[in-house]
Amino acid sequence: MKVLMFGWEFPPHISGGLGTACYGLLKGMSHFDHEVIFVVPKLYGDEDPLADFVNASDVEIDYREQRFKQIWKNLTYLEVSSFLIPYLGPEEYARFTDKALHDRTDVDESIFANKFSFTGKYTKDLIMEVSRYALVAGQIAKNKEHDIIHAHDWLSFPAGIAAKKISGKPLVVHVHATEFDRSGEHVNQRVYDIERSGMEMADKIIAVSHLTKKTIISRYGIPEEKITVIHNAVLDTSIITSTATKKVPEKIVTFLGRITFQKGPEYFIEAANKVLKKDDNVRFVMAGSGDLMNRMIDRVAELRIATKFHFTGFLRGGDVDQMFAISDVYVMPSVSEPFGISPLEAVRYNTPVIISKQSGVAEVLTNALKIDFWDIDAMADAIFALLHYGGISTMFRQCGSEELKKMKWEHVAEKIFALYDKTLTVTHS
């Protein structure tokens, strides 16, 4: 089987959650005897060779063909002035974008250039790049032999649609997050329309959780039978024994993620305040950045718990690992989390976790304390219990570690190949 797969990013460059998931999936797929052609807007040459990579920036388009003109006619060329990844904080924004690109004046450049030069970043010209990526995808679908098309998240959905129109092969779209997860009720209508179009044109939809499946059905009007839930996994299921040591005598409770509405940081702070009223031998850490950072700092000051509460800013790499290693409890109080990989990373460091019931990972991680994100009393009680009752903490550590070993990307890949087979059988019948 030959799979034509469209993504937007891939490690080690611009490696956010979507890139990490694509990397894990390709690594899992490499265990099977199938060929995967993986397309991204821009390659750098140092990617792990897990697939037949195609750099969209290198593809020449024969735009004289009527069918390519038809694809372009169905797309919208649009320069947008706002940043379309609203859940990134200011520090992440700086990491993911090149501000010089925001001063571009070449928007009148012919849309029918032989090649398009993609940034592959999240710039103000993102919709324009998404549209051009779709045009290039049609050419790739014509050039590359394939049996099925797989597109990851809204950035690649127009590319998947264009490829399907050119080759006639079935399309599978993979929903890692929806616009409602990213923006709450204040959705970007343009992004929502792209998402819905991709889901409607798809032959099958993969949702990363039952939570995401419910959103697709209720918010996008997609039939339930079209959607298959396949949970994510972790790149490494081994348990880590860290040599990192705490530099404070107190126990540490950690929130690690974007400080945005979606992640529920305010509930973590209110729960921390309740815990500290019963036990002041605890330090709370909020690691990350986001648009609610200043408001959270103000609230901590207002509650007069600043001496027991720390804001680290955005962490990456080894600093993230060390934070997990020195934490006694990890809390993910997300308001809406399609999946949520960070609790699984915490489990790798033998750190017991508390997760919101409104997260996809709650569906697969049995050995974790689960609370409603808004129930700060239950969250505070759970934190207090894990800090003070050694038997409970030890049980969740041991059972969580055993559970983690089953969450491998090759198992995810096996389920996806089975879905491909089923989709091909239906379309050929």
Side-chain angles (χ1 to χ4, degrees):
M1 183 188 303
K2 291 185 178 179
V3 183
L4 177 58
M5 189 176 290
F6 293 95
W8 192 261
E9 58 183 40
F10 198 81
H13 301 278
I14 319 178
S15 183
L18 179 59
T20 301
C22 288
Y23 179 84
L25 180 56
L26 288 188
K27 202 164 179 100
M29 285 181 161
S30 67
H31 292 265
F32 299 85
D33 190 23
H34 298 291
E35 182 181 342
V36 181
I37 302 159
F38 191 83
V39 186
V40 286
K42 185 174 183 177
L43 287 173
Y44 294 82
D46 56 353
E47 292 81 6
D48 196 350
L50 295 171
D52 176 11
F53 282 102
V54 175
N55 184 358
S57 297
D58 289 340
V59 177
E60 290 192 5
I61 303 169
D62 187 1
Y63 59 82
R64 294 165 298 180
E65 285 198 35
Q66 186 61 37
R67 52 184 175 173
F68 287 105
K69 292 182 180 180
Q70 190 61 38
I71 289 174
W72 187 262
K73 185 179 177 182
N74 293 332
L75 294 169
T76 301
Y77 175 79
L78 176 68
E79 182 186 9
V80 290
S81 59
S82 60
F83 190 51
L84 281 179
I85 307 293
Y87 54 78
L88 292 183
E91 293 181 45
E92 290 160 299
Y93 177 91
R95 270 199 322 132
F96 278 85
T97 59
D98 179 350
K99 289 179 181 171
L101 291 169
H102 289 239
D103 297 322
R104 288 175 52 172
T105 57
D106 61 339
V107 292
D108 292 326
E109 169 191 351
S110 170
I111 61 170
F112 292 127
N114 282 338
K115 285 184 181 180
F116 295 127
S117 179
F118 294 96
T119 66
K121 296 182 180 181
Y122 301 105
T123 72
K124 74 167 186 175
D125 296 332
L126 187 58
I127 294 288
M128 179 179 68
E129 289 212 353
V130 168
S131 297
R132 290 179 169 182
Y133 189 41
L135 192 63
V136 173
Q139 185 70 51
I140 294 169
K142 177 189 174 187
N143 296 346
K144 293 278 188 178
E145 183 182 341
H146 59 281
D147 302 301
I148 197 163
I149 303 158
H150 188 148
H152 291 276
D153 258 5
W154 73 273
L155 295 154
S156 301
F157 285 1
I161 293 170
K164 178 179 179 177
K165 287 182 176 178
I166 291 296
S167 70
K169 302 297 183 181
L171 169 65
V172 175
V173 300
H174 203 141
V175 182
H176 297 266
T178 70
E179 182 61 6
F180 292 94
D181 298 307
R182 291 183 290 266
S183 305
E185 295 300 318
H186 307 289
V187 298
N188 181 299
Q189 188 62 41
R190 187 74 183 91
V191 175
Y192 172 85
D193 291 342
I194 292 173
E195 287 180 328
R196 186 172 181 178
S197 176
M199 295 176 197
E200 289 175 343
M201 286 294 296
D203 295 273
K204 289 290 181 181
I205 299 169
I206 297 172
V208 295
S209 64
H210 290 283
L211 188 71
T212 301
K213 179 178 178 178
K214 288 178 183 176
T215 301
I216 293 171
I217 294 168
S218 64
R219 299 288 195 155
Y220 296 84
I222 304 298
E224 181 179 359
E225 59 272 14
K226 194 174 182 178
I227 309 163
T228 300
V229 174
I230 302 179
H231 295 103
N232 285 339
V234 285
L235 286 170
D236 190 344
T237 59
S238 62
I239 304 303
I240 298 171
T241 303
S242 175
T243 57
T245 55
K246 291 191 292 185
K247 296 182 180 178
V248 293
E250 299 97 331
K251 292 188 176 180
I252 295 175
V253 180
T254 299
F255 167 109
L256 192 149
R258 297 184 300 273
I259 305 178
T260 62
F261 165 80
Q262 178 197 0
K263 299 294 184 180
E266 62 268 44
Y267 303 103
F268 178 74
I269 290 173
E270 299 304 326
N273 184 47
K274 287 181 175 292
V275 171
L276 288 168
K277 286 179 179 178
K278 291 197 288 186
D279 178 10
D280 66 354
N281 191 38
V282 187
R283 286 183 186 253
F284 288 85
V285 176
M286 185 165 281
S289 60
D291 62 331
L292 293 184
M293 168 81 90
N294 291 338
R295 192 187 305 178
M296 295 303 101
I297 292 172
D298 289 344
R299 181 56 179 159
V300 165
E302 184 182 345
L303 291 170
R304 299 180 182 273
I305 58 173
T307 58
K308 294 291 184 177
F309 208 104
H310 304 269
F311 292 89
T312 69
F314 181 79
L315 298 183
R316 60 172 63 86
D319 291 334
V320 173
D321 297 337
Q322 186 170 14
M323 195 69 251
F324 281 131
I326 64 174
S327 297
D328 295 282
V329 177
Y330 174 73
V331 184
M332 189 185 78
S334 297
V335 173
S336 176
E337 190 74 54
F339 189 74
I341 205 76
S342 58
L344 301 181
E345 295 294 339
V347 170
R348 290 189 66 214
Y349 285 90
N350 275 311
T351 302
V353 301
I354 300 168
I355 55 181
S356 75
K357 295 176 182 177
Q358 292 73 28
S359 64
V361 73
E363 300 169 12
V364 296
L365 189 57
T366 305
N367 292 287
L369 286 174
K370 301 169 188 177
I371 46 91
D372 290 304
F373 70 86
W374 45 262
D375 194 341
I376 57 174
D377 289 315
M379 193 185 305
D381 289 344
I383 292 169
F384 190 86
L386 288 175
L387 292 177
H388 290 86
Y389 302 110
I392 296 176
S393 182
T394 299
M395 180 193 73
F396 279 114
R397 283 192 180 98
Q398 293 174 345
C399 295
S401 298
E402 288 302 311
E403 199 170 19
L404 187 70
K405 294 174 184 177
K406 303 172 186 176
M407 300 179 192
K408 297 182 178 180
W409 276 109
E410 50 261 46
H411 298 159
V412 176
E414 186 177 21
K415 292 175 183 176
I416 289 178
F417 281 126
L419 180 65
Y420 291 163
D421 284 332
K422 183 178 179 181
T423 305
L424 288 168
T425 300
V426 170
T427 54
H428 289 159
S429 61

